[in-house]
Amino acid sequence: MKNEQLVESFEKLLETIYTVREKCPWDASQTPETIRPLTIEEVYELGQAIIDNNSKDLKKELGDVLLHIILYARMAEERNDFDLKDVFDALNEKLTFRHPHIFGDYKAETPEEVSKMWEQVKLKEKGGNKTVLGGIPQALPALIKAFRIQDKARNAGFDWDDRKDVWPKVREELSELEVELNKNDKANSEKEFGDLLFAIINAGRLYDINPENALELTNKKFIYRFNYIEQKAKEQGRNLKEMTLAEMEELWQEAKQFEK
């Protein structure tokens, strides 16, 4: 696509969004606080389109997220706070600063070298993180947050020398959880369960498996198989509560044959 076409299309989009913001009663009444939940929903829908490898939905959801970005900037402009140009300029400045191996004289030739460099650069960034883990949003879901914590610690040099060493740690955490469960200690069981999850997430990271993606694949698999059982029960004129566990297990195994 030519730059002229891209600029023309973007200017038309801005005109449309600004007009809607000005003339639509609903859009005009929105604030950053009111659309924040919708933004979160849109990002999850974008994530789903990526997992589904659906290019049509991906294009649509990217547009929805872009709409929200422009709206936030427009609202800030209305408050004489900042505008979309300021957003672009700040992002361009950050990207340039964080890529000294491209725009400066720093040497980094592999993704691993770049990741380690980024943690050092971010600590020097004006208004940036003051600690290695300081840039991790507190509002992140716990599973994603654990992965980011571990990844940042790795970039700072705090990691296993041999990734196989993580498995004794996983087994250790499982054993400690079993001890607390057998003691019926709810508080300590919860702590040990968290430690076990953290160790398993760490194992995924070490073996280049994203735990969020892996868990979502399992969620989809479970939903498909469970829906299969439920549908077969309906075809037999029964509900799930009328079936034995053995009957459901048989259908569960049968469902595996039809998975994509």
Side-chain angles (χ1 to χ4, degrees), residues 90-144:
L91 177 57
N92 186 59
E93 181 181 347
K94 181 170 73 174
L95 287 173
T96 303
F97 183 81
R98 290 188 180 181
H99 290 76
H101 54 303
I102 297 177
F103 303 105
D105 54 6
Y106 195 99
K107 301 298 182 183
E109 299 180 354
T110 68
E112 292 75 21
E113 290 175 343
V114 172
S115 293
K116 290 180 180 179
M117 176 201 67
W118 271 340
E119 297 307 326
Q120 300 171 17
V121 169
K122 288 176 185 177
L123 292 174
K124 300 176 183 178
E125 194 171 39
K126 181 180 179 181
N129 306 330
K130 302 306 179 186
T131 64
V132 172
L133 302 181
I136 300 175
Q138 292 300 307
L140 276 179
L143 190 151
I144 299 175

Side-chain angles (χ1 to χ4, degrees), residues 4-258:
E4 295 83 359
Q5 293 176 313
L6 184 60
V7 170
E8 180 182 353
S9 181
F10 189 62
E11 288 179 343
K12 183 177 180 181
L13 174 63
L14 290 180
E15 182 181 354
T16 300
I17 293 175
Y18 290 1
T19 300
V20 166
R21 170 69 176 168
E22 178 183 352
K23 296 185 177 181
C24 172
W26 186 88
D27 286 277
S29 68
Q30 299 308 304
T31 67
E33 291 74 22
T34 61
I35 67 170
R36 176 181 174 274
L38 301 178
T39 305
I40 295 172
E41 181 179 332
E42 295 296 354
V43 173
Y44 273 109
E45 290 178 354
L46 172 61
Q48 188 62 53
I50 294 171
I51 290 174
D52 293 341
N53 195 26
N54 188 319
S55 60
K56 181 179 179 180
D57 285 350
L58 179 60
K59 179 177 70 173
K60 171 183 175 296
E61 300 305 337
L62 283 171
D64 289 343
V65 171
L66 178 59
L67 166 62
H68 282 237
I69 292 172
I70 295 173
L71 275 176
Y72 284 119
R74 181 59 173 172
M75 292 174 185
E77 184 178 4
E78 293 166 357
R79 301 191 305 269
N80 294 316
D81 192 1
F82 61 83
D83 59 21
L84 197 57
K85 179 181 180 302
D86 294 323
V87 174
F88 292 165
D89 290 344
L91 177 57
N92 186 59
E93 181 181 347
K94 181 170 73 174
L95 287 173
T96 303
F97 183 81
R98 290 188 180 181
H99 290 76
H101 54 303
I102 297 177
F103 303 105
D105 54 6
Y106 195 99
K107 301 298 182 183
E109 299 180 354
T110 68
E112 292 75 21
E113 290 175 343
V114 172
S115 293
K116 290 180 180 179
M117 176 201 67
W118 271 340
E119 297 307 326
Q120 300 171 17
V121 169
K122 288 176 185 177
L123 292 174
K124 300 176 183 178
E125 194 171 39
K126 181 180 179 181
N129 306 330
K130 302 306 179 186
T131 64
V132 172
L133 302 181
I136 300 175
Q138 292 300 307
L140 276 179
L143 190 151
I144 299 175
K145 186 189 294 185
F147 187 84
R148 294 292 293 127
I149 288 170
Q150 295 164 1
D151 193 48
K152 282 182 172 290
R154 171 186 65 85
N155 289 332
F158 188 73
D159 203 4
W160 301 99
D161 291 327
D162 187 334
R163 65 182 183 178
K164 292 193 295 294
D165 292 338
V166 74
W167 297 116
K169 183 62 176 176
V170 170
R171 288 189 286 269
E172 174 190 327
E173 298 297 352
L174 177 59
S175 177
E176 292 176 357
L177 172 60
E178 290 175 337
V179 169
E180 299 303 329
L181 288 172
N182 289 332
K183 291 194 300 187
N184 201 27
D185 189 324
K186 179 69 181 295
N188 281 334
S189 292
E190 186 175 51
K191 293 177 183 178
E192 295 299 341
F193 194 86
D195 289 347
L196 175 61
L197 286 177
F198 196 85
I200 292 174
I201 291 168
N202 209 11
R205 177 189 62 82
L206 288 163
Y207 284 84
D208 198 26
I209 296 172
N210 186 294
E212 173 71 19
N213 294 342
L215 183 57
E216 180 57 21
L217 289 173
T218 297
N219 287 340
K220 291 179 66 175
K221 180 169 59 179
F222 185 93
I223 290 171
Y224 172 81
R225 294 177 185 177
F226 193 84
N227 286 345
Y228 183 89
I229 295 172
E230 188 173 23
Q231 180 59 39
K232 288 298 181 179
K234 288 180 180 179
E235 291 175 4
Q236 299 172 14
R238 307 165 67 189
N239 61 52
L240 293 178
K241 291 185 178 180
E242 296 173 341
M243 303 183 74
T244 66
L245 183 58
E247 289 175 322
M248 286 191 282
E249 175 63 24
E250 182 179 350
L251 290 173
W252 179 274
Q253 296 299 325
E254 185 177 305
K256 292 182 180 181
Q257 304 174 26
F258 303 103

